[in-house]
Amino acid sequence: MRTHLQLLKLESRILPSLTVPAYNSLPGAQASVYLNFSGDFISSWGGVHNISIPPFAGGSGFWNMTALSTIYQIWQNVSEDYSPFSVNVTTARPTGGEVSQIDVGGDGSWLGATYGGIAQIGGLANSSPANPTRGFVFPVNLSNSPKFISDGAAHEAGHTFGLYHQSQWNGNTLVATYYAGPGDGTAPTMGNPYSATRSLWWYGTSEIGPTSIQNDMAVIAGNALVGFRPDDHGNTMATADPLTVSNGLVSGSGVIEKMSDVDYFSFDSGPGVISLTVGHPSNSVDLSPLARLYDADGNLLASALPDASFNDTINVTVEGGTYYLSVTDTGRSSGSTPTSYGQNVGQYIISGTVVSQPTWWGALSSSAVDALFGKGKHGQP
């Protein structure tokens, strides 16, 4: 079976018989966002009849590997948006549970107007694979941009979970139905996120009215079979999960499901320089992470704030022993207010290097180490 990267090497070939690979972000979840790129026919929806949705072709007009590469990127990005929740973002038709189906294809001319997408509001509780809640994204109207299509798919799926638009008000006057954010690089997924670096679930006023506060994450998680994804890592040093270390290379991953979440990891290193990076698994960046490194006594050795790509990097010289890395969010963005802010959550990956220890090092007891390297030894009384 060819890997995704092997398939990309064939992208110049026209392969009309290709099918969309089955990608799943959280297999086993009882609720799914089904991204359908294969075309569809709907006999009736929203008062319109005999709707034909063409397969997504990535702007090329035919199936090829470039289209499939774009599909993979879109799936990754939407998976990032829904990573805090018990939701499986998938490109395979679900066989059970509640289903939000987003058909991606065409220009939506059947609506008689130009939209980036459209969806019903709510209805997830009454959905099934045979009768999903429906949303549509029209890539032709979104410049066939992977980012725009991803933002549109997450937005339209949000409607099917019961979300209204995040809007901007001035007193009782509606300034913008689709709020574009405070100008700090963040914007509501349920507003106008296309020009923002980070498209986030928002806490702010909805289109319903100037006093109607909508907590996007609470609404999505409030669906009966959804909820938040279970916390995946310990929240203290005592409950830290071990990082994977192989030949001095470190790896790990996780999700900050709520802004109150802190994930702890443990690892051992010999004396020398260690380097740790907390980055992102896709091109879509939701989480702005904060990384901190502690020694075995809980002393803070180093911390790192995100760079321009929202990656944290710690480089520090250590004496050797057991260490702890914590990952959390950096809080609300600079332009936010207590009643209007993006929720800083999402996925992260950990990479880096530590100093490999000789096999005998790990077998030494603490008293043996003291005997070798300190505690009044070396001829001292």
Side-chain angles (χ1 to χ4, degrees), residues 330-355:
T330 54
R332 300 200 299 256
S333 60
S334 60
S336 64
T337 71
T339 57
S340 180
Y341 60 87
Q343 303 194 59
N344 189 0
V345 294
Q347 300 178 94
Y348 61 88
I349 53 175
I350 299 169
S351 60
T353 58
V354 299
V355 181

Side-chain angles (χ1 to χ4, degrees), residues 44-177:
S44 180
W45 187 88
V48 184
H49 301 283
N50 298 322
I51 304 165
S52 181
I53 307 295
F56 173 71
S60 63
F62 44 75
W63 275 109
N64 64 8
M65 298 314 304
T66 299
L68 291 192
S69 176
T70 301
I71 285 170
Y72 180 75
Q73 183 177 341
I74 294 167
W75 168 79
Q76 272 196 315
N77 293 349
V78 179
S79 296
E80 164 68 10
D81 292 331
Y82 284 88
S83 62
F85 310 105
S86 290
V87 171
N88 183 31
V89 179
T90 181
T91 57
R93 187 175 299 277
T95 58
E98 297 176 347
V99 180
S100 166
Q101 178 169 327
I102 308 300
D103 288 339
V104 182
D107 60 6
S109 57
W110 51 272
L111 290 167
T114 301
Y115 298 101
I118 193 170
Q120 69 185 82
I121 296 178
L124 189 71
N126 298 315
S127 68
S128 67
N131 183 35
T133 59
R134 288 276 185 180
F136 306 88
V137 172
F138 309 120
V140 173
N141 302 338
L142 296 173
S143 304
N144 283 296
S145 160
K147 180 190 185 303
F148 293 172
I149 297 168
S150 303
D151 287 341
H155 177 114
E156 302 307 338
H159 281 312
T160 69
F161 282 83
L163 293 176
Y164 291 87
H165 293 126
Q166 288 283 351
S167 301
Q168 185 177 14
W169 294 82
N170 183 3
N172 291 321
T173 301
L174 179 62
V175 176
T177 302

Side-chain angles (χ1 to χ4, degrees), residues 194-227:
Y194 298 116
S195 297
T197 302
R198 298 165 61 212
S199 170
L200 305 177
W201 301 117
W202 212 258
Y203 180 97
T205 50
S206 77
E207 62 186 315
I208 295 175
T211 61
S212 176
I213 297 293
Q214 178 174 272
N215 183 337
D216 291 348
M217 291 187 65
V219 172
I220 294 174
N223 285 269
L225 295 184
V226 180

Side-chain angles (χ1 to χ4, degrees), residues 297-313:
D297 295 322
N299 299 309
L300 179 64
L301 301 180
S303 62
L305 289 168
D307 58 21
S309 299
F310 295 94
N311 297 321
D312 299 343
T313 299

Side-chain angles (χ1 to χ4, degrees), residues 20-46:
V20 177
Y23 302 125
N24 292 280
S25 65
L26 190 63
Q30 297 184 74
S32 299
V33 172
Y34 169 38
L35 301 176
N36 175 32
F37 296 94
S38 300
D40 203 357
F41 178 82
I42 304 99
S43 59
S44 180
W45 187 88

